Amino acid sequence: MPDYKTSAMTAKKKDTSKPQSATGAATGAATAPTVGLVSLGCPKALVDSERILTQLRAEGYKFSPDYDGADVVIVNTCGFLDSAKEESLNAIGEALNENGKVIVTGCMGAKPEDITKIHPKVLSVTGPHQYEAVVEAVHAAVPPSQNKFINLMPQQKEDGIGIKLTPRHYAYLKISEGCNNRCSFCIIPSLRGDLVSRPVIQVLAEAERLVKGGVKELLVISQDTSAYGVDTKYQPYPWKNRTVRTKFIDLCRELGELGAWVRLHYVYPYPHVDEVFELMNQGKVLPYIDIPFQHASPSVLKAMKRPGAGKPAPKSILGAERAGNQEKTLERIKAWRKVCPDLTIRSTFIVGFPGETEEDFQFLLDWMQEAQIDRAGCFKYEAVKGAKANEIAGAVPEEIKEERFHRFMTLQQEISAAKLKEKIGKTLPVIIDEMGAEGYTGRTQGDAPEIDGCVYVTGKGLKQGDIVNVKITGADEYDLFGEVA
Ligand code: SF4
């Protein structure tokens, strides 16, 4: 499930110096062909960028921190919302102006004509996860070097990790592509196709390599994480003297053995998800779950065509019923918190969906109050070209969307502030992300990078990626303050 807003709200042009500085990327001879990269969109797109760069580095390409130094520029686009498409088109235009040789890939590439009618001079356009086609386009634009010393570079660094665009201490682990659902506001399935899960042993081997290479936190991502393996009929594989199925719970259990923080994103609350909270309580998986609820009103969820909405409700293992029935979802949330008292629930919501009445919206606020969602993002509905939701009657005027957005965020701030206040006086493990002149910035187990809050830590002698116990001394609406215990 794409984070409805991540694609748009955090879409930003990556500093093209990142590949080189963050990864110690190729530093071949001066004659090596050089590539620049602009990566837009969500963590899933970032993983695609990492894969393309890893392949190019293996072939001896260098990376440039600026347009001038690049022989060709790859723009990895986001096409989830119209605002993200506009940003992608602007980035392509900038790369064409500044460099001239531009290869386009990513979600927007699923409809090449949307790009070529505005930017006819791009060298090639390919869709999401078409890594080979992107690499071929680079070959055509700037052939790989014939210098044998460059070509003999190992595929991966000694630490066994390909190029990462995230800091060294955390990494996104993409477990599948595409999605079998057809939510009415979403065009991801038309861009990325139906669900295709990676074999579990491939995912586990990658996770193990990352952890051996120094990664302390694995962020599991996909469009629909809890549907993992459905397309393979949960194909089993031998792994370390046991059989592991290509299945959400098996994957979580095995990742929990690697000794890293394991954070689960984009988990749709299918009934079998209930099983994971025991693993969280055992400390195998972080007590954190990112569930994109999107709304609470049954009629809005039905119009959104969210999985399970409007269907009969089978029993789950905790005796509560499936998602879509929001009162039962509240019971499930209570049951999850009973199994795992330290649980942080993160979610995203859309307000102003076509047909959303004041009554629907008030239902959402009441549900939020009851559910006490720890971290929530709220987004005003934006019509996406090609989405079925555009055909739904009852468009909500912009000023009402705006007003609902502020009412939602005011309530969420109150919930968040109260929940963070409860942490004052506790000692919590914190992973250090950055070092500053006056202290450190880190995250508790309840905070994902980029999207959640952080902890401002005073102390000495820490470095990026350290996990330390921090005594929490203060809190505001979103962040915590503390000192090394
Ligand atoms: S169709 Fe629904 S579940 Fe699938 S990616 Fe889109 S929003 Fe997520």
Side-chain angles (χ1 to χ4, degrees):
M1 151 79 224
D3 199 329
Y4 179 72
K5 86 308 158 186
T6 306
S7 313
M9 304 299 289
T10 64
K12 58 180 183 259
K13 186 173 65 175
K14 288 283 161 191
D15 176 351
T16 48
S17 66
K18 286 282 167 58
Q20 203 160 21
S21 56
T23 63
T27 54
T31 53
T34 304
V35 175
L37 173 82
V38 179
S39 189
L40 300 157
C42 63
K44 282 142 306 207
L46 196 68
V47 172
D48 291 349
S49 293
E50 291 175 345
R51 196 157 162 188
I52 292 163
L53 291 185
T54 300
Q55 177 59 34
L56 290 172
R57 184 182 62 180
E59 297 177 0
Y61 284 86
K62 283 173 66 186
F63 303 111
S64 169
D66 49 47
Y67 289 119
D68 286 348
D71 297 314
V72 65
V73 176
I74 301 169
V75 181
N76 191 0
T77 58
C78 174
F80 187 54
L81 292 175
D82 289 349
S83 50
K85 285 183 189 165
E86 199 180 314
E87 188 181 12
S88 295
L89 288 171
N90 289 342
I92 296 166
E94 184 182 300
L96 280 167
N97 285 340
E98 298 290 327
N99 182 281
K101 278 186 162 180
V102 176
I103 289 167
V104 179
T105 187
C107 281
M108 258 202 98
K111 288 191 183 137
E113 61 285 359
D114 287 355
I115 295 163
T116 49
K117 72 181 176 214
I118 293 174
H119 297 301
K121 290 191 177 158
V122 294
L123 298 178
S124 94
V125 181
T126 50
H129 55 93
Q130 292 182 338
Y131 318 108
E132 290 82 7
V134 178
V135 170
E136 272 170 30
V138 172
H139 290 170
V142 194
S145 169
Q146 295 308 308
N147 181 331
K148 66 179 178 177
F149 295 108
I150 294 173
N151 283 343
L152 284 175
M153 287 175 60
Q155 169 124 19
Q156 298 188 331
K157 292 198 303 174
E158 279 169 23
D159 59 14
I161 308 178
I163 286 183
K164 281 171 72 264
L165 297 175
T166 48
R168 190 180 166 85
H169 62 292
Y170 66 81
Y172 293 106
L173 186 66
K174 187 152 80 167
I175 60 171
S176 61
E177 279 292 353
C179 179
N180 286 347
N181 298 318
R182 295 293 182 264
C183 301
S184 60
F185 56 83
C186 177
I187 55 166
I188 290 287
S190 68
L191 297 177
R192 293 192 164 234
D194 282 340
L195 179 75
V196 179
S197 302
R198 296 174 64 199
V200 70
I201 42 172
Q202 208 184 82
V203 176
L204 291 172
E206 180 182 341
E208 202 171 57
R209 267 202 315 275
L210 287 165
V211 174
K212 278 187 185 151
V215 166
K216 304 276 183 66
E217 179 178 357
L218 296 164
L219 301 121
V220 177
I221 56 166
S222 70
Q223 311 297 342
D224 185 358
T225 295
S226 38
Y228 177 60
V230 168
D231 54 309
T232 70
K233 298 194 170 52
Y234 307 123
Q235 173 80 43
Y237 291 92
W239 172 258
K240 295 186 192 295
N241 301 326
R242 49 191 181 268
T243 299
V244 179
R245 294 167 299 173
T246 303
K247 193 169 187 192
F248 173 72
I249 195 68
D250 287 29
L251 176 71
C252 293
R253 198 175 289 121
E254 293 300 329
L255 290 175
E257 295 301 315
L258 297 179
W261 282 15
V262 176
R263 192 180 296 283
L264 302 175
H265 286 283
Y266 316 114
V267 180
Y268 197 82
Y270 305 114
H272 70 266
V273 166
D274 294 348
E275 290 177 73
V276 85
F277 297 97
E278 190 51 51
L279 288 178
M280 291 183 181
N281 194 45
Q282 291 164 7
K284 301 282 185 190
V285 173
L286 287 183
Y288 176 100
I289 196 149
D290 174 5
I291 301 180
F293 287 112
Q294 307 298 16
H295 212 283
S297 156
S299 58
V300 176
L301 287 168
K302 197 171 169 198
M304 286 178 166
K305 293 201 180 328
R306 297 293 285 161
K311 290 188 184 159
K315 290 275 178 192
S316 80
I317 61 155
L318 286 182
E321 296 178 2
R322 77 182 290 162
N325 182 337
Q326 293 304 297
E327 279 175 31
K328 296 299 177 188
T329 305
L330 285 174
E331 285 177 30
R332 290 180 74 199
I333 289 172
K334 281 183 192 148
W336 298 341
R337 288 197 169 123
K338 212 166 175 181
V339 174
C340 179
D342 293 331
L343 181 66
T344 295
I345 302 177
R346 181 191 163 77
S347 191
T348 48
F349 296 87
I350 301 170
V351 296
F353 190 79
E356 182 194 60
T357 61
E358 173 58 27
E359 203 182 355
D360 290 321
F361 179 67
Q362 193 54 51
F363 188 100
L364 170 62
L365 291 187
D366 294 345
W367 187 90
M368 282 291 295
Q369 189 71 267
E370 184 79 25
Q372 293 283 298
I373 299 296
D374 304 72
R375 303 284 200 188
C378 179
F379 305 93
K380 289 168 267 179
Y381 174 74
E382 194 179 314
V384 178
K385 202 170 150 204
K388 289 271 178 218
N390 300 342
E391 295 158 21
I392 299 172
V396 177
E398 288 305 317
E399 62 275 16
I400 295 184
K401 284 187 198 168
E402 189 70 29
E403 186 238 358
R404 288 180 186 167
F405 170 81
H406 287 291
R407 282 162 69 196
F408 182 99
M409 288 314 291
T410 303
L411 172 61
Q412 176 53 29
Q413 257 180 21
E414 280 167 23
I415 294 171
S416 175
K419 285 191 157 253
L420 293 182
K421 205 168 162 196
E422 284 170 13
K423 297 187 193 287
I424 296 174
K426 290 186 176 169
T427 298
L428 303 173
V430 168
I431 190 162
I432 302 297
D433 283 330
E434 281 175 32
M435 291 151 287
E438 294 177 16
Y440 304 89
T441 309
R443 288 174 291 109
T444 66
Q445 297 188 332
D447 305 304
E450 308 273 339
I451 51 174
D452 292 328
C454 59
V455 193
Y456 296 100
V457 183
T458 52
K460 281 190 183 148
L462 304 181
K463 54 186 191 311
Q464 192 184 50
D466 281 351
I467 296 176
V468 287
N469 284 328
V470 170
K471 173 128 196 250
I472 303 301
T473 54
D476 61 21
E477 288 92 343
Y478 298 115
D479 301 319
L480 294 167
F481 303 83
E483 54 203 35
V484 176

